[in-house]
Amino acid sequence: MNVRVYQGLGLDEYVGVLRKAVREHKLVLIMASCSVDYEGRGASTLGEGERVIIIKRDWAFLIHRPDGYSPVNWQPQSSIIDFEVHGGLLIIRAVRKKPREIVTVRASDISLVVVADMSDTAEFIEYVSEHEIRDLIARNPSILGEDLKITNIEKPVEPGFVDLYGIDNRNRIVVIELKRVTATKDAVSQLHRYVIAVRKSLGRQDVRGILVAPSITRSALEYLERLGLEYKQLNLKQLRRMLEEEKKKSDRKPGASLLEFLKRE
Amino acid sequence: MNVRVYQGLGLDEYVGVLRKAVREHKLVLIMASCSVDYEGRGASTLGEGERVIIIKRDWAFLIHRPDGYSPVNWQPQSSIIDFEVHGGLLIIRAVRKKPREIVTVRASDISLVVVADMSDTAEFIEYVSEHEIRDLIARNPSILGEDLKITNIEKPVEPGFVDLYGIDNRNRIVVIELKRVTATKDAVSQLHRYVIAVRKSLGRQDVRGILVAPSITRSALEYLERLGLEYKQLNLKQLRRMLEEEKKKSDRKPGASLLEFLKRE
DNA sequence: GGCTAAATCTCGTGC
DNA sequence: GCACGAGGTTTAGCC
């Protein structure tokens, strides 16, 4: 990694360094005392204070206060970034086209500028996503504690997509909405929409709606029962164990899924 | 701002610097080549690559790749952070108690460490939030183009909260759900829940549900009409003008709102 | 601590 | 380009 650190430069020198760095899509860090205005979908102002400003290679733009997870102001990638000196201040403007939004930084005191050439090509692999859980249940519907046959994954309806769709042992259609976190009334509404849509499109009333989640809020459960829908609890720990089991098995016979195997390499 | 820059130190020296900085709640920046594992609500792994790591005063923990708005891994404030050297690598662990989550960084090449004393006490002021729009409509219900009387803001029902609640000129109860962005089917469901709840609790059917938003998706509009609910378009530009007008007025007679006046000073 | 809903949400995916 | 839904969403507000 090629890293250059600048301190104690004049404003005009800083502007030169920053313009060049951004033009060349380097990663830029600025520590400065500044004030910030934002106007776009919303609007905000922030008085003078010391912050970290990050400009990424793709011109994503982040302003972080010394505390907290989230940036206080920002602009997502491919905004346009420019610098100028005005009234003894360094003005940084980050402009987004659509929606039209502008973040304006007025920096009075620049303590540090870092310009870095960074290389990061690694793949980011996530496990235990709703995706993975959904497919696991599709392969092993008995997880839900009854005799179901899953016929569709992400079946389109209305518009919208039913996570899992199948038939129970009494030939009733089953619509399943899956959540990997506590289910709220929003999730119940979502399931309800799908059930209504399926009933309407099939012209039959014996369509069950099942909300599958590790937990559910009290009022969501009441709401769900009032709508004649069902809730089934998910055991996440058990699911994880099953996922690991499956992974081990496919490791033993990698021919079964070459792509999976390659990914793991 | 007191800023210290470290480069070219040995691993043990870096650990010493980092431990001290974190213990003293300084802001810490690290540029390094590293791999990252996460395990908690979800799980992920990320191979070797060059990244920026930020540890904030409150021990919020961020790992940023060279591109994109969002951190690839993170830990919110008040996680526990510790450093150690193991097998020629700098290991950073950020642990969150509830939910139990761990981020583990294995850094092989440290290009830069910055430790800074930052001070930022400025107030962050947001405009044009749903909050503000809601209160403006409550004061001027004629914005909605009919003769309404708003009686409640954030009226609790069911549980849940109705943004605006009032009576129309034919004595019908009006339930208003407000969105400052394009309304989706989720918003329609939300409004529907409230209308059902109010009808039930009052034991009367003449309860109108109005979704107020700058725009609405096609399918959300269909869904809304099928449910017998109404949509009213918001003119955000007009609202902003009105908000500015009101602000000017209150500037002219600051006695009216001393607190507001003080805030503006 | 649980629940509810907003957010300049962002981001991916599908049409 | 819009719409829809997930997210380790986070954050704020209220009970």
Side-chain angles (χ1 to χ4, degrees), chain A residues 56-57 118-127 263-265, chain B residues 32-39 43-53 61-67 70-74 89 102-108:
Chain A
K56 295 215 189 170
R57 296 188 309 195
M118 287 183 114
S119 154
D120 181 0
T121 57
E123 194 189 2
F124 180 65
I125 302 172
E126 278 187 272
Y127 309 100
K263 254 190 187 165
R264 221 166 294 122
E265 286 302 283
Chain B
S33 183
C34 63
S35 64
V36 187
D37 284 298
Y38 154 71
E39 174 129 22
S44 68
T45 71
L46 175 64
E48 188 85 9
E50 294 170 347
R51 284 126 206 175
V52 179
I53 301 165
F61 187 78
L62 304 167
I63 303 172
H64 274 278
R65 305 185 77 166
D67 294 297
S70 13
V72 62
N73 285 104
W74 70 91
L89 300 174
I102 304 182
V103 173
T104 309
V105 179
R106 255 167 263 86
S108 57

Side-chain angles (χ1 to χ4, degrees), chain A residues 192-207:
Chain A
H192 188 224
R193 282 203 300 272
Y194 295 148
V195 169
I196 297 292
V198 170
R199 281 185 186 145
K200 196 181 154 198
S201 82
L202 295 182
R204 54 190 275 195
Q205 288 303 303
D206 59 337
V207 175

Side-chain angles (χ1 to χ4, degrees), chain B residues 42-92:
Chain B
S44 68
T45 71
L46 175 64
E48 188 85 9
E50 294 170 347
R51 284 126 206 175
V52 179
I53 301 165
I54 305 175
I55 305 168
K56 295 214 189 169
R57 295 189 308 197
D58 59 358
W59 298 356
F61 187 78
L62 304 167
I63 303 172
H64 274 278
R65 305 185 77 166
D67 294 297
Y69 162 83
S70 13
V72 62
N73 285 104
W74 70 91
Q75 211 65 284
Q77 61 213 53
S78 32
S79 25
I80 289 162
I81 293 172
D82 78 287
F83 305 89
E84 61 170 319
V85 178
H86 192 265
L89 300 174
L90 169 67
I91 314 288
I92 311 173

Side-chain angles (χ1 to χ4, degrees), chain A residues 38 41-42 44 72-74 77 96 101 185 217-219:
Chain A
Y38 155 69
R41 288 166 293 178
S44 67
V72 63
N73 286 105
W74 71 90
Q77 60 212 55
R96 184 186 190 176
E101 308 198 277
K185 283 183 291 186
T217 67
R218 187 190 177 75
S219 66

Side-chain angles (χ1 to χ4, degrees), chain B residues 114-162:
Chain B
V114 180
V115 176
D117 258 319
M118 290 184 112
S119 153
D120 181 0
T121 56
E123 195 190 1
F124 179 65
I125 302 173
E126 278 187 273
Y127 309 101
V128 211
S129 62
E130 185 179 286
H131 227 76
E132 235 182 337
I133 295 173
R134 187 239 292 150
D135 293 351
L136 179 70
I137 295 177
R139 287 192 298 272
N140 311 279
S142 63
I143 289 172
L144 300 180
E146 65 170 296
D147 186 19
L148 292 177
K149 196 184 295 174
I150 302 296
T151 59
N152 302 66
I153 299 178
E154 292 291 318
K155 181 184 169 72
V157 295
E158 207 208 345
F161 297 87
V162 171

Side-chain angles (χ1 to χ4, degrees), chain A residues 141-186:
Chain A
S142 63
I143 289 171
L144 300 180
E146 65 170 296
D147 186 19
L148 293 176
K149 196 184 296 176
I150 303 297
T151 59
N152 302 66
I153 298 179
E154 292 293 317
K155 181 185 170 70
V157 295
E158 207 208 346
F161 295 86
V162 172
D163 285 335
L164 292 167
Y165 183 94
I167 308 176
D168 73 4
N169 58 6
R170 290 207 275 159
N171 264 324
R172 290 173 299 190
I173 297 292
V174 176
V175 169
I176 295 175
E177 173 64 28
L178 183 65
K179 291 288 165 216
R180 45 178 295 297
V181 293
T182 303
T184 63
K185 283 183 291 186
D186 257 5

